[in-house]
Amino acid sequence: MSDLPLTQRLDALVASAADLVAGTGDLDALHALDVELTGRRSLLVEAKRELGSLEEDDRRAAGQAINEARQRVEDLIAARRSELAAQQRQARIEAERLDLTEREPARTGRLHLVTQARDHLEDVFVGMGFTVAEGPEVETDFYNFEALNLPPSHPARGMWDTFYVDVGDPGTVLLRTHTSPVQIRVMEATEPPICSIMPGRVYRRDTADATHTPVFHQIEGLVVDEGISFADLAGTLDAFTRAYFGRQVRSRLRPSYFPFTEPSAEYDISCVFCGGVGCRSCGGTGWLELGGCGMVHPNVFAAVGYDPERWTGFAFGFGIDRMTAQRHGVDDLRDLFTNDIRFLEQF
Amino acid sequence: MKVLLSWLRDFAPLAGDVEYLGDQMSDLGMAVESIDQLGAGLGEIVVARVVALRAHPDADRIQIVDVDAGGETLLQVCCGAFNMAEGDLVPLAPVGATLPDGMSIGRRKMRGEWSEGMLCSPAELGLPADDDGIMILGRGDDALDGSAVGALLVDALGIETDAVFDLEINPNRPDALSVAGVARDLAARLGEPFALPEPPPLVGGTPADSVEVRLVDADLCGRFAVMSVDGVTVGTSPAWLRRRLEAVGLRSVNNVVDVSNYVMWELGLPNHAYDRDTLARLDGGPVVLSPRWARPGERITTLDGIERELATGVGVIADADDVAVAVAGVMGGASTEVTSSTTALAVEFAWWQPMAVAVASRLLGLRSEASARYERGCDPGAIELAARRFAQLLVEVCPTAVLSGGLVESCGELPDPTVVTVRTSRVNRLLGTALATTDIPPLLTPIGFGCTGVGDDELSVTIPSWRPDTSTETDVIEEVARHLGYANLPVRRPAQPTTGGLSERQMLRRRVRSTLVGLGASEAMPTPLLSSDDLATVGIEVPVVTITNPLAAEESVLRPSLRPGLLRAVAHNSAHRNPDVSLFEVGKVFVPADAPGVLPAEPEFVAVVLAGRSAPSAVSTLDRLCDVLGVTCELDAASPAGMHPTRSAVVRVGHTTVGLVGEIDPGVLERLGVVGPVAWCEVDLDAVTGAGGSPHPYRPVSRFPSTDIDLAFVLADSVPASVLRSAIATAAGPLLVALELFDVYRGPGIEQGSRSITHRLRLQAVDRTLTEAEVGEVRDAVVAAVATDPGARLR
C-alpha cells in the first residue's frame, strides 16, 4: 500500500472506513472503530508521521490531504453516531411503551352532598358580608321557643314536633327544632350590628318518608342594625337568590306567619327547572317554596335585651337537604343519610 | 280551608277569573294550594234513561245497556258497572264528548259489541260521590222529570260552573277560617264593597221556660248564648246545601247538622245543636246548660263514640244534673246528639277562651273544625249574627221549625276591644316605604280596622273583634304591608356594616374534610339518633343523653361516639357488595353533664373508618390528620372498649388524650356481619384545637450539605418503636433535620422477642458544613442515649 501515491492511499482508506462505519451496529462498536480509524495508532496518524521525510511543498500538500481524509472519516463517524443514537433512542422508547388506560380508575373521596351545598351557601353569604355562627343541638326550651316569642302553651308550638331529652326537668330540654336558637345566642353574646348565618343540624319528631327525615339541615340568617327594613330583607334574599341559583332566577315574598317575625313572609324562587313557566317540580306554579323570613319580632329583641325602638332586623331560614336533593333529582330524602357508597360517590 | 267561589260571591262581586282571584288570595297570605273547577268539562254530558239491561255474550264484567238519550233510536252502551236498573236516569257521555279529565269518547267495540258512548260515575265527572258505580240521577219517576232525558246534565242538575279554592290559612288569621273572612280580605284587595248577610232579627220573648244558662266559670267562657227551637223535623238537606258543604269537604249529615256546619263555615263561629229533650231538666222545668271547668275523673262519650276521661283544664257544658254533655269548643256529647227523631233543639253559640280549647284539644288528643277555630280565636261579636243566620237557614231547610224567641245568654270574661297607636314613621322604618299618614287608612278600613288620625305621624287604630291576633303596632304594620302587597314594597341591599368570614374552626373543618377526601375517603352523614343496642353492638358503654319521647326505639339515644354510625354504614355497604369502603365524618357527639339540668357537652369529632384495611393504614391517616390539624401526636398502646385489644392506641397531644386509632374489635365486626379487618381513627377536634397554638415560625433552609447516618438498633418487642424514635430525636439534638424509619427486621441474628429497627438520620447545620467529628459526636450521643433508655443495642 505504501507504494501507492498518498492521495490514492488516502482515498482507499476513506472508502474502506466508510464501509466499516456503515457496518457498525451500535455506539460501542462505533466508538471502537473511531479509535481504530482516528486514534493514535490509526493509519491516518501514522501517515502524518511520515510527512517529516518529505520536501516542504510536498509536505504541505500531503498534510492537507491527510487532514481532509481525516475530516471525511470523522464526518462519516459523526453521521453514523447520530444515526445509531436515534435508533437506540427509538428502540428504548418502543421498549418503554405503555397503555395508560390499562388501569382500574382510582376511587376518589367525595364530600357529602349536604356539605357541598352548605359550603356553597356559606361561601355566597360570606361574600355578602355574613359571618357563620353555630350553637348547640341540645337546647333549652327558652332558646328554642320562649325567647323566640313562643311562650309555653303558645298554640303555634304545634308547628314544630319536638323531641325532648332526659336533661333537667321533663319537657325543658330538647333537640332544637330549627337553627333559630342560635340567633338568640348570637344576640345575647354581641351587640348590633349583626350579620350572621347559622347553618346546622335540626330535629323534628316526624316519621321518615320520602320528603321528611327526623334529622335534617337548615340555614338561617340574621341581620340587625339601625334602619334595617323589609326592603333590606327583600334585597338581600334577591341578591342571594341570583348568586346561589343563577342570574336568571328571581325571588318573591308572600305574606305568612311565624311567631318570631312580623311582618312574616314565605320566600319563593322562580322554578329552577322550568324557568318559571310551570312544570312538575313546581306543581305548575312556576315557583318553588324555599323557606320563611320576616322582620325580627319586637318580643324577640326584648328577650335578648335589645331596644326594639332603636334596632330593627330581619331573619330568614330554609332547609338545605330538600333544596339540594331537588336540584340533583334525588326523590327520596332518606337516601341522603343511608351512606351507601354508590350514592356518595355520585356527587 | 276550602272555599267555594259562588259562596264567596255571596259577600262581594269579586270580579275576575278564577286564576286571578287565586293569585290575589295567595298574595294576601291565603296561599292557594289547589283550585278545583267544578262543572268544567261537563257541557257535553246528557241525561239518558236506562231502557234495557242485557248480558254481554262474551264478558262477565261488562253488560250491555240500551239507553234513551232523547234521540230517535236507542243507543247501545257497554258498561262495567251494575248498579243501575231499568228506568234509571244516568249521565251519558256521547260519542265525541270529552270528559273533565280530558278523556275523549269514541265509538268503539268492547269484546265484540259496539259501545255508543259511556255512562259516567260521579268521579269521572269530577262530582262528589258517596258510592262507586254509575251516577244515578233518578230512579223511575223520582227526582228528575222524565222530560230531562236528552237534556244537558248541567241544566238538569242546575250545576253552575264553580271553583273550590283550597287555602292554607296561617295561624294568625282566624278570620280567614270563614268564607266571609276570606271574601272580606279579597274584596278589600280588589277595591270592591263587602257586605255580610243580614238575616232577620230573632223575634219573640226570651224562652226562659225551655232553657236556662248558668255560666259557672267566667274564665272559661266569655259568652254563652242558646237558641231554642221546637217543631223540628230532621231530614235530608236540600241539594244546594249538600252541594256547598260537600264542595268544601264537609259531609252532609242532616238538615240541622248541615245548617250548623254551614254557619260555622260561612261566619267562622262554631255552634252546637243539642237534642233538647235529651238534656236533664230542672225539676221538670227548663233544661240547663252550664259551662264550667271539668272535674278530674269526669267522663263523657263524645259524638265520635269514644268515651273520654276529662281532666282539669278541659272545659265542659253540664246539664241540670251537672253531668257533662259536651266538651267546650271541641265536640258535643253522644247522649245529646241530634238524631232522626229529634224534634226540639237547644243551639249553643259561644265564645271560649282560646287557650282553654287548645289545652282541651291537646289533652284529649281530639281536634275538630270547632276546636281549630276556637283555639285561634273566634269573633265574639259574631254570636248574634250567627244565631240569626242559623235561624234563617233552619226555617228554610226545615219549614216546620218554630223559634222560641230570642237568645238566652250569659257573659263571662271577654277580651276588651284593642286600640293601637300606629306611627307612620315606624311603618316606614320597618317596611322601607315612604307612606304618608293619609295613605294608611285606605288600606286598613276595608278590612274593618277603624282609623282615626291623632297627629301628623300617628293613627289610632281600633282592631275589629274578628282579628284577635292583632294587638300591637307591628301587627298592624303587617296588615299595611299585606294590603299594599309584598311585591309592591321597595327592595334594596343593606349597607354592609360587617365583614364576612369563616371562623378558625370552620376553616379547619373544611381543611380536615378536603384532606380526607384527598386520601380517598368519602364523607358519610349517619343519623345521630341511635338505639341502646347500637352501642352494645359496637361495644361502647358510656352515659348517654336519652330522648324521652322517641318515635322508635331505634332512634332513642343521642350518639356518644361517631363509631356506631360509621360502622353501620360499613355494614350496609358490605351487605351491598362494597366491603372496602373508606368513610369519614366530622360531627358532634353528646356527653351528658355531671351536674343536673346542665346541657350536655357537644364535642366535635373527626372519625375515619377504612374497611378492609388494618391498623397501620389508620395510623397513616391519623398522621395526615395531625399534619392538617397542626399537632404532633403520640400513640400510647391501649385497649379502648370496642377496639382490637392488641392493635389499638390512644392518641395523645402533650398530656391530653385527643382520640384513638387502630382496628375495630373482631367481635364487634362479627356482630355487624362485617369481614375484617376494619381500621379506625378518631380525633376530638375540640381537644386538639386548643393544643395547636399559633403557627410555628419559619425554620431557614440550609444552603450547606447534609450528612446521612444509618443506625440499626435492636429493641425489645415490648417497647414501642415510637419510644426509640423520640429517644433518637432527643439525643441527636438540633442538627437532626430528618429522621426516617426505613427497616424493621425480625429473624436470624436477632434474639427472640426483639427486632432490629433502622433509622436514617439526616444531619445539617444552617450556617456551616458539618465536620466528621461533629457527625461522630451526634452518632455517639444517640447510641449512648438509647442504650440507657429505652435500652436499645446498636446492631
Side-chain angles (χ1 to χ4, degrees):
Chain A
M1 185 167 170
S2 56
D3 296 338
L4 291 170
L6 180 63
T7 51
Q8 282 183 23
R9 281 193 288 146
L10 287 172
D11 284 346
L13 190 145
V14 169
S16 106
D19 289 346
L20 288 169
V21 166
T24 52
D26 58 50
L27 287 171
D28 288 345
L30 184 66
H31 180 71
L33 186 65
D34 188 9
V35 172
E36 189 186 322
L37 292 178
T38 63
R40 277 186 297 170
R41 305 205 176 156
S42 62
L43 292 175
L44 283 168
V45 173
E46 277 177 14
K48 225 161 185 178
R49 282 195 203 104
E50 292 168 16
L51 292 180
S53 58
L54 295 181
E55 292 299 316
E56 175 77 24
D57 286 354
D58 290 346
R59 191 163 58 197
R60 190 175 294 122
Q64 203 170 340
I66 291 168
N67 282 347
E68 279 170 9
R70 182 184 177 94
Q71 188 59 49
R72 283 160 68 194
V73 170
E74 281 177 354
D75 287 350
L76 285 169
I77 290 170
R80 182 62 179 157
R81 182 179 289 122
S82 58
E83 216 174 280
L84 284 174
Q87 279 173 17
Q88 193 166 323
R89 177 185 146 76
Q90 194 54 39
R92 175 181 169 181
I93 281 167
E94 270 309 317
E96 289 178 354
R97 180 177 291 280
L98 279 184
D99 176 359
L100 299 185
T101 66
E102 267 176 20
R103 59 186 277 277
E104 168 60 26
R107 251 197 177 172
T108 51
R110 299 287 180 180
L111 283 180
H112 194 276
L113 193 53
V114 171
T115 300
Q116 292 182 32
R118 176 178 161 166
D119 286 355
H120 187 190
L121 291 166
E122 286 177 358
D123 291 345
V124 168
F125 281 116
V126 163
M128 292 169 66
F130 285 74
T131 56
V132 182
E134 296 170 26
E137 293 175 18
V138 179
E139 265 295 5
T140 62
D141 184 272
F142 175 79
Y143 286 103
N144 195 76
F145 287 128
E146 203 170 337
L148 290 161
N149 194 31
L150 280 153
S153 61
H154 190 292
R157 282 193 178 204
M159 291 164 77
W160 299 271
D161 291 317
T162 310
F163 283 120
Y164 290 91
V165 296
D166 61 344
V167 178
D169 293 331
T172 59
V173 179
L174 44 82
L175 300 184
R176 66 177 181 193
T177 57
H178 41 198
T179 39
S180 310
V182 187
Q183 290 188 15
I184 303 298
R185 289 182 178 274
V186 167
M187 286 192 280
E188 276 186 343
T190 47
E191 281 290 305
I194 289 172
C195 183
S196 287
I197 51 161
M198 300 94 180
R201 180 180 262 149
V202 299
Y203 301 80
R204 299 268 173 93
R205 197 170 175 276
D206 273 341
T207 307
D209 60 28
T211 57
H212 297 85
T213 53
V215 183
F216 60 101
H217 301 81
Q218 277 189 339
I219 184 165
E220 59 182 77
L222 174 70
V223 174
V224 181
D225 200 357
E226 284 173 339
I228 294 290
S229 73
F230 199 87
D232 297 307
L233 166 62
T236 300
L237 287 181
D238 200 55
F240 161 74
T241 302
R242 291 170 195 280
Y244 185 79
F245 294 100
R247 285 273 126 215
Q248 71 291 355
V249 180
R250 289 155 292 133
S251 67
R252 77 166 180 191
L253 303 179
R254 285 182 291 122
S256 188
Y257 170 77
F258 304 103
F260 27 82
T261 50
E262 190 166 38
S264 298
E266 296 289 336
Y267 161 40
D268 298 342
I269 59 167
S270 61
C271 181
V272 295
F273 300 99
C274 64
V277 297
C279 67
R280 204 172 63 91
S281 296
C282 59
T285 62
W287 295 92
L288 297 173
E289 287 184 22
L290 209 62
C293 60
M295 300 303 294
V296 178
H297 197 285
N299 291 355
V300 175
F301 280 152
V304 296
Y306 281 9
D307 176 5
E309 283 295 309
R310 178 174 176 200
W311 305 110
T312 49
F314 64 79
F316 58 86
F318 52 88
I320 299 176
D321 310 22
R322 198 176 301 181
M323 177 194 74
T324 191
Q326 191 175 31
R327 285 191 101 183
H328 288 275
V330 178
D331 292 331
D332 193 329
L333 284 182
R334 290 169 294 192
D335 290 344
L336 288 175
F337 307 114
T338 316
N339 303 308
D340 194 309
I341 194 72
R342 296 167 295 177
F343 179 90
L344 298 175
E345 282 186 344
Q346 286 187 39
F347 301 103
Chain B
M1 169 78 188
K2 287 185 177 175
V3 291
L4 197 60
L5 180 55
S6 61
W7 202 344
L8 289 170
R9 283 181 170 154
D10 287 353
F11 303 93
L14 306 183
D17 64 25
V18 169
E19 275 75 24
Y20 171 75
L21 295 173
D23 288 347
Q24 293 303 315
M25 286 188 270
S26 287
D27 197 52
L28 285 165
M30 303 178 291
V32 176
E33 308 242 278
S34 64
I35 301 177
D36 193 3
Q37 305 241 24
L38 299 183
L42 293 184
E44 295 165 301
I45 313 298
V46 298
V47 178
R49 183 182 294 283
V50 176
V51 175
L53 295 167
R54 292 182 282 134
H56 190 291
D58 274 332
D60 293 340
R61 299 185 176 208
I62 306 173
Q63 62 175 335
I64 297 170
V65 190
D66 294 316
V67 295
D68 171 9
E72 290 179 6
T73 54
L74 298 184
L75 297 174
Q76 169 176 315
V77 176
C78 294
C79 183
F82 291 82
N83 65 318
M84 55 283 195
E86 289 176 1
D88 285 355
L89 292 177
V90 292
L92 170 76
V95 171
T98 303
L99 293 182
D101 67 0
M103 178 181 173
S104 50
I105 306 299
R107 181 173 183 269
R108 64 192 191 107
K109 243 178 188 171
M110 295 175 81
R111 291 286 188 105
E113 291 287 339
W114 284 106
S115 186
E116 310 270 356
M118 180 177 134
L119 305 185
C120 305
S121 70
E124 284 159 345
L125 298 176
L127 298 172
D130 291 335
D131 303 305
D132 295 336
I134 298 304
M135 186 176 191
I136 306 297
L137 301 166
R139 291 226 125 106
D141 293 327
D142 176 42
L144 276 181
D145 195 304
S147 65
V149 166
L152 289 176
L153 181 71
V154 284
D155 294 338
L157 288 183
I159 293 177
E160 292 165 26
T161 52
D162 210 336
V164 182
F165 299 92
D166 192 355
L167 305 179
E168 187 189 341
I169 303 299
N170 290 315
N172 66 331
R173 291 294 310 282
D175 65 303
L177 289 177
S178 69
V179 180
V182 174
R184 181 191 289 116
D185 220 27
L186 191 50
R189 165 58 64 88
L190 301 177
E192 292 181 352
F194 164 84
L196 284 169
E198 286 181 25
L202 300 173
V203 289
T206 306
D209 54 329
S210 58
V211 178
E212 191 176 317
V213 171
R214 290 184 182 173
L215 204 166
V216 177
D217 291 311
D219 57 343
L220 165 68
C221 184
R223 191 172 173 194
F224 193 88
V226 181
M227 183 168 71
S228 224
V229 189
D230 290 283
V232 172
T233 315
V234 174
T236 316
S237 293
W240 71 265
L241 178 54
R242 291 204 316 269
R243 272 206 302 275
R244 275 205 170 173
L245 292 179
E246 283 165 2
V248 299
L250 294 171
R251 196 169 51 92
S252 171
V253 179
N254 57 48
N255 50 1
V256 173
V257 173
D258 287 359
V259 165
S260 169
N261 284 334
Y262 188 93
V263 170
M264 172 179 70
W265 215 262
E266 179 171 87
L267 300 174
L269 191 85
N271 54 86
H272 181 62
Y274 302 83
D275 180 334
R276 207 174 71 220
D277 294 331
T278 62
L279 292 167
R281 287 176 183 278
L282 199 62
D283 301 329
V287 300
V288 175
L289 289 173
S290 174
R292 61 163 170 80
W293 294 110
R295 304 190 184 96
E298 211 171 349
R299 304 183 83 84
I300 185 173
T301 301
T302 40
L303 276 175
D304 51 11
I306 297 172
E307 189 181 354
R308 297 167 189 277
E309 182 166 339
L310 304 172
T312 319
V314 176
V316 296
I317 296 100
D319 66 4
D321 295 339
D322 203 24
V323 171
V325 293
V327 181
V330 182
M331 193 175 277
S335 66
T336 55
E337 182 178 7
V338 171
T339 66
S340 56
S341 55
T342 299
T343 59
L345 304 176
V347 191
E348 163 202 318
F349 301 88
W351 186 88
W352 305 101
Q353 286 292 343
M355 198 59 88
V357 177
V359 167
S361 172
R362 203 175 67 235
L363 286 178
L364 296 174
L366 178 61
R367 291 184 54 79
S368 63
E369 293 290 351
S371 72
R373 284 166 177 74
Y374 277 125
E375 69 180 43
R376 295 182 193 196
C378 286
D379 178 7
I383 285 179
E384 208 79 49
L385 176 65
R388 278 159 50 198
R389 183 71 170 142
F390 190 105
Q392 180 190 32
L393 290 170
L394 186 67
V395 171
E396 184 183 336
V397 304
C398 174
T400 58
V402 179
L403 299 173
S404 311
L407 294 170
V408 188
E409 63 174 305
S410 185
C411 281
E413 294 163 12
L414 275 175
D416 293 326
T418 312
V419 178
V420 177
T421 301
V422 176
R423 295 161 294 170
T424 308
S425 55
R426 181 73 183 171
V427 174
N428 288 331
R429 257 187 84 192
L430 217 52
L431 301 182
T433 45
L435 296 173
T437 304
T438 50
D439 294 334
I440 294 172
L443 297 166
L444 293 178
T445 42
I447 52 170
F449 287 61
C451 299
T452 45
V454 175
D456 285 350
D457 188 46
E458 280 184 17
L459 286 171
S460 176
V461 178
T462 307
I463 310 301
S465 57
W466 57 84
R467 290 303 302 271
D469 58 287
T470 304
S471 61
T472 66
E473 184 182 33
T474 316
D475 294 336
V476 176
I477 294 173
E478 182 171 59
E479 293 305 302
V480 171
R482 222 164 49 78
H483 276 275
L484 269 175
Y486 280 15
N488 300 322
L489 295 174
V491 176
R492 69 168 196 210
R493 283 284 299 281
Q496 211 56 46
T498 57
T499 314
L502 297 178
S503 69
E504 286 293 328
R505 165 62 67 88
Q506 287 155 356
M507 290 190 282
L508 177 72
R509 198 186 283 143
R510 288 191 178 194
R511 288 201 302 275
V512 164
R513 283 197 175 108
S514 27
T515 300
L516 293 171
V517 164
L519 291 176
S522 284
E523 186 184 20
M525 216 171 262
T527 173
L529 307 181
L530 308 173
S531 73
S532 320
D533 288 350
D534 290 332
L535 293 171
T537 302
V538 301
I540 294 179
E541 235 182 285
V542 291
V544 289
V545 180
T546 303
I547 296 175
T548 53
N549 61 336
L551 276 172
E554 293 78 54
E555 298 188 339
S556 60
V557 165
L558 290 184
R559 62 181 180 194
S561 158
L562 300 184
R563 241 184 295 158
L566 281 177
L567 288 180
R568 188 196 285 174
V570 166
H572 169 90
N573 283 295
S574 177
H576 291 85
R577 306 190 65 208
N578 284 306
D580 293 338
V581 293
S582 299
L583 300 173
F584 76 92
E585 183 182 8
V586 181
K588 288 175 167 185
V589 303
F590 301 86
V591 183
D594 292 333
V598 175
L599 292 183
E602 300 184 9
E604 185 174 35
F605 273 71
V606 53
V608 188
V609 64
L610 306 168
R613 314 259 285 277
S614 50
S617 301
V619 178
S620 145
T621 302
L622 175 71
D623 288 338
R624 313 281 187 96
L625 266 180
C626 286
D627 186 51
V628 72
L629 293 171
V631 294
T632 310
C633 69
E634 309 287 342
L635 301 186
D636 296 335
S639 308
M643 299 293 291
H644 191 301
T646 56
R647 289 190 165 196
S648 299
V650 297
V651 182
R652 180 167 50 76
V653 172
H655 297 292
T656 315
T657 300
V658 300
L660 51 88
V661 65
E663 270 173 44
I664 301 297
D665 190 310
V668 169
L669 297 181
E670 207 169 297
R671 287 197 286 277
L672 289 166
V674 171
V675 178
V678 171
W680 174 267
C681 85
E682 67 181 57
V683 174
D684 180 347
L685 289 178
D686 288 4
V688 291
T689 326
S694 54
H696 67 76
Y698 168 65
R699 180 174 164 173
V701 174
S702 175
R703 283 190 296 271
F704 296 92
S706 58
T707 306
D708 289 352
I709 52 174
D710 294 350
L711 293 174
F713 291 104
V714 176
L715 184 68
D717 282 339
S718 58
V719 183
S722 60
V723 173
L724 174 64
R725 184 185 177 92
S726 55
I728 292 172
T730 309
L735 293 180
L736 182 73
V737 293
L739 178 60
E740 182 195 355
L741 185 162
F742 74 91
D743 186 49
V744 178
Y745 171 74
R746 286 182 177 83
I750 306 295
E751 57 267 34
Q752 197 72 25
S754 291
R755 76 283 205 199
S756 161
I757 300 175
T758 308
H759 287 90
R760 174 162 295 168
L761 293 72
R762 175 159 293 181
L763 305 177
Q764 194 176 30
V766 179
D767 53 353
R768 63 187 190 281
T769 302
L770 293 179
T771 62
E772 270 183 45
E774 282 176 305
V775 171
E777 275 168 32
V778 171
R779 184 181 185 282
D780 295 346
V782 168
V783 171
V786 304
T788 318
D789 182 16
R793 170 174 59 80
L794 186 68
R795 192 177 158 203

